[in-house]
């Protein structure tokens, strides 16, 4: 898959320095790829973003009108650092993940806490279909048909108490199932978090499947978050723990690079990443000749402003990036 160029941003520019360095360690594990050869090369200038004709989304935002990414691309170009930091590593290495049996620990500021087998955790809720855009902070995006349960419906059953202001999520961190855990690309386990009202927003999805089938391991089996108005790293994969907290929880990318990745991480074309613009993006389009389609403008809240902007009224989104 690396014969096709990932993007015109050199990987040395889009990868935090310590992660980039850890790729050298990954080579020792046989996990790195020829992409390394790209590092340090200057890419061509960004072409201007071109407008695209889009069918409108459903008014609730549940069904994006955009053309779907192919299943092949959505399962072979991934970020899941527990399996290695190269985009092809998750597809190559995630077969060792055992998504069954699986349980989820619920803790913190709620009346109902404990360890729940995944079926009991999800039981009363019917799966719904969603077509969401997901935009990676690195400047590429996908459009994926997910199946899952609204996160808020699941969380409500645990009856968060009046101190619960945030929800913290934790990924499995098992070196026997996840070879990338042996490399300190991030501080493991991978952690993410949402404010409680964000978690309760009808768009927030606990995904169990995509393209009508159970989630592939590389996409976060058996249970992941999909928060389509935020940069992709908020959509944490292979969740084993959920805690209701009073304080804003520690999140992996914010902990790793606080100047680059904030807690909120709402998609925002007006706030540049310190090392690149966020004004435009390239869809993974799955054409035979090139992985990425032409540059298109990035929309505020990834096109979900009608459903989510009111949650941030009065907040300075440059400060709370
Ligand atoms: N546990 C875990 N979750 C993760 C990641 C990760 O490295 N580990 N990467 C994130 C990033 S940066 C993105 S862009 C999306 C990618 O999801 P996809 O591979 O299904 O497209 O997963 C997110 N969830
Ligand atoms: Mo990402």
């Amino acid at each position: 898959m690396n014969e096709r160029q990932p993007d015109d941003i050199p990987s040395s520019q889009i990868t935090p320095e310590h992660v980039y360095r850890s790729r050298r360690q990954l080579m020792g594990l046989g996990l790195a790829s020829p992409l390394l050869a790209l590092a340090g090369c200057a890419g061509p200038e960004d072409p201007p973003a071109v407008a695209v004709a889009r069918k409108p989304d459903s008014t609730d935002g549940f069904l994006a009108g955009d053309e779907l990414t192919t299943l092949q691309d959505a399962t072979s170009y991934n970020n899941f650092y527990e399996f290695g930091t190269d985009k092809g590593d998750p597809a190559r290495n995630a077969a060792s993940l055992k998504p069954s049996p699986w349980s989820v620990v619920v803790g913190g500021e709620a009346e109902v806490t404990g360890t729940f087998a995944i079926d009991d955790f999800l039981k009363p809720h019917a799966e719904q279909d969603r077509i969401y855009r997901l935009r990676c902070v690195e400047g590429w995006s996908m459009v994926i048909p997910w199946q899952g349960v609204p996160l808020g419906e699941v969380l409500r059953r645990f009856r968060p108490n009046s101190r619960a202001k945030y929800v913290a999520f934790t990924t499995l961190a098992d070196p026997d199932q996840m070879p990338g855990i042996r490399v300190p690309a991030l501080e493991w386990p991978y952690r993410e978090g949402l404010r409680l009202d964000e978690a309760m927003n009808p768009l927030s999805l606990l995904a169990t499947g995509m393209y009508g089938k159970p989630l592939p391991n590389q996409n976060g089996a058996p249970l992941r978050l999909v928060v389509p108005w935020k940069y992709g790293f908020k959509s944490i994969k292979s969740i084993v723990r959920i805690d209701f907290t009073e304080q804003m929880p520690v999140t992996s990318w914010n902990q790793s690079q606080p100047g680059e990745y904030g807690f909120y991480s709402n998609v925002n074309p007006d706030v540049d990443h310190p090392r690149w613009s966020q004004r435009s993006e390239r869809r993974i389009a799955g054409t035979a000749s090139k992985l990425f389609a032409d540059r298109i403008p990035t929309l505020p809240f990834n096109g979900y402003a009608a459903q989510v902007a009111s949650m941030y009224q009065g907040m300075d989104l440059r400060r709370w990036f």
Side-chain angles (χ1 to χ4, degrees):
M1 88 146 286
N2 291 315
E3 288 88 70
R4 296 193 290 181
Q5 292 295 306
D7 203 340
D8 50 15
I9 304 172
S11 58
S12 59
Q13 276 176 31
I14 60 177
T15 308
E17 178 63 22
H18 66 293
V19 172
Y20 177 59
R21 268 188 273 111
S22 76
R23 286 193 177 155
R24 289 163 196 281
Q25 294 168 262
L26 281 166
M27 286 182 83
L29 288 172
L31 295 171
S33 80
L35 248 191
L36 265 178
L38 278 176
C41 304
E45 285 300 302
D46 283 354
V50 295
V52 280
R54 294 178 161 132
K55 285 195 214 134
D57 295 355
S58 59
T59 50
D60 52 19
F62 291 175
L63 300 172
D66 309 42
E67 196 179 321
L68 300 184
T69 297
T70 62
L71 174 63
Q72 167 62 26
D73 285 342
T75 55
S76 57
Y77 189 89
N78 300 100
N79 272 339
F80 198 167
Y81 278 17
E82 288 86 337
F83 295 100
T85 55
D86 188 81
K87 300 293 184 262
D89 285 339
R92 269 194 294 276
N93 300 325
S96 48
L97 177 69
K98 299 224 164 8
S100 173
W102 194 270
S103 53
V104 180
V105 176
V106 179
E109 303 290 354
E111 285 175 39
V112 183
T113 57
T115 302
F116 303 88
I118 187 168
D119 288 349
D120 297 329
F121 177 75
L122 294 170
K123 202 185 317 185
H125 307 287
E127 275 197 350
Q128 300 182 11
D129 285 305
R130 302 286 174 87
I131 299 174
Y132 283 160
R133 293 176 287 277
L134 192 61
R135 188 198 186 280
C136 180
V137 74
E138 294 167 358
W140 47 273
S141 58
M142 297 194 184
V143 185
I144 296 182
W146 304 98
Q147 287 75 47
V149 171
L151 174 65
E153 287 184 16
V154 174
L155 295 183
R156 251 188 283 281
R157 276 173 40 237
F158 298 90
R159 297 202 291 277
N161 65 36
S162 61
R163 284 182 299 278
K165 301 284 184 327
Y166 297 90
V167 191
F169 302 87
T170 308
T171 295
L172 178 73
D174 178 358
D176 293 333
Q177 297 181 61
M178 300 168 141
I181 292 283
R182 285 175 236 141
V183 180
L186 289 167
E187 242 180 71
W188 311 114
Y190 193 101
R191 280 151 301 153
E192 258 309 334
L194 297 171
R195 217 170 53 191
L196 190 59
D197 61 324
E198 298 178 318
M200 294 296 177
N201 187 283
L203 282 180
S204 293
L205 189 72
L206 265 178
T208 53
M210 55 193 267
Y211 300 85
K213 287 184 235 148
L215 278 181
N217 289 353
Q218 61 266 42
N219 295 90
L223 191 68
R224 72 170 293 172
L225 213 59
V226 187
V227 191
W229 72 95
K230 292 178 180 280
Y231 291 118
F233 63 84
K234 301 293 285 183
S235 291
I236 183 174
K237 295 176 170 179
S238 304
I239 296 166
V240 292
R241 185 173 181 111
I242 296 180
D243 290 281
F244 296 95
T245 68
E246 191 166 12
Q247 306 298 326
M248 186 181 278
V250 171
T251 61
S252 291
W253 282 103
N254 178 250
Q255 177 186 44
S256 160
Q257 305 277 323
E260 303 195 354
Y261 309 105
F263 175 82
Y264 284 94
S265 293
N266 294 314
V267 172
N268 190 343
D270 295 333
V271 177
D272 289 346
H273 185 281
R275 290 181 282 138
W276 61 85
S277 161
Q278 295 291 31
R279 290 228 161 265
S280 66
E281 68 199 65
R282 302 174 81 186
R283 282 288 152 77
I284 295 195
T287 57
S289 58
K290 57 178 190 164
L291 179 55
F292 286 94
D294 290 340
R295 234 163 235 295
I296 55 174
T298 289
L299 302 176
F301 299 106
N302 203 23
Y304 298 96
Q307 290 82 21
V308 304
S310 63
M311 291 192 289
Y312 309 101
Q313 240 162 32
M315 279 174 71
D316 177 354
L317 296 178
R318 289 185 176 277
R319 172 157 183 233
W320 301 105
F321 62 95

